Amino acid sequence: MTTDSRKQMKEAYRERRPEMGVLYFRCTATGETFLMAATDIPAKFNRLRFQLADGLCPNKRLQELWKQHGEEAFETGTAKALKYDDPAADHTEDLEMLLELCLLDDPTAQRLWK
């Protein structure tokens, strides 16, 4: 790989626009919903599925439900997506506000972890 191609790849990575927002895991067996803000939703879903499969999820209730009912008993998706212009900006506050709005919309939902 040449230096120019590395520079181009780094630039493309910096300019990418990952889907940001609030993701959810909903247990269809119990109706419990777990919400989390994410700066890269697909990557966060993959990581959480890996953690759950290995019994390493920090949220003990979600881990318990996953172990008891299995992955097929869960619906996952994006509750709300964040629209943004600058991929390099810090969107932490915006994501936290979006998460709070989702929690208000569904008072029975809980944060995936604090």
Side-chain angles (χ1 to χ4, degrees):
M1 182 180 289
T2 67
T3 304
D4 285 341
S5 62
R6 274 190 219 153
K7 285 181 182 179
Q8 289 174 346
M9 288 177 64
K10 284 181 182 180
E11 185 63 31
Y13 181 80
R14 279 193 290 271
E15 293 299 318
R16 71 185 183 92
R17 300 179 58 84
E19 181 185 9
M20 292 187 198
V22 176
L23 58 87
Y24 69 87
F25 278 73
R26 181 174 299 116
C27 180
T28 57
T30 65
E32 292 175 74
T33 303
F34 301 86
L35 301 172
M36 179 182 196
T39 56
D40 188 336
I41 290 175
K44 186 58 77 173
F45 271 127
N46 288 339
R47 180 176 179 177
L48 285 170
R49 282 190 180 105
F50 177 79
Q51 288 177 322
L52 287 162
D54 284 350
L56 301 172
C57 182
N59 186 294
K60 299 305 177 202
R61 178 63 182 156
L62 176 58
Q63 185 67 64
E64 176 185 308
L65 292 171
W66 190 273
K67 184 177 179 183
Q68 182 178 3
H69 301 287
E71 183 175 359
E72 59 279 352
F74 282 85
E75 296 174 351
T76 61
T78 303
K80 291 193 187 287
L82 179 68
K83 294 179 179 21
Y84 62 96
D85 293 323
D86 183 4
D90 182 6
H91 298 287
T92 305
E93 286 183 27
D94 296 332
L95 287 168
E96 186 63 31
M97 192 174 354
L98 199 59
L99 177 58
E100 292 299 326
L101 289 172
C102 289
L103 289 166
L104 287 173
D105 287 346
D106 184 356
T108 63
Q110 54 188 297
R111 289 174 184 263
L112 202 50
W113 54 74
K114 300 205 188 270

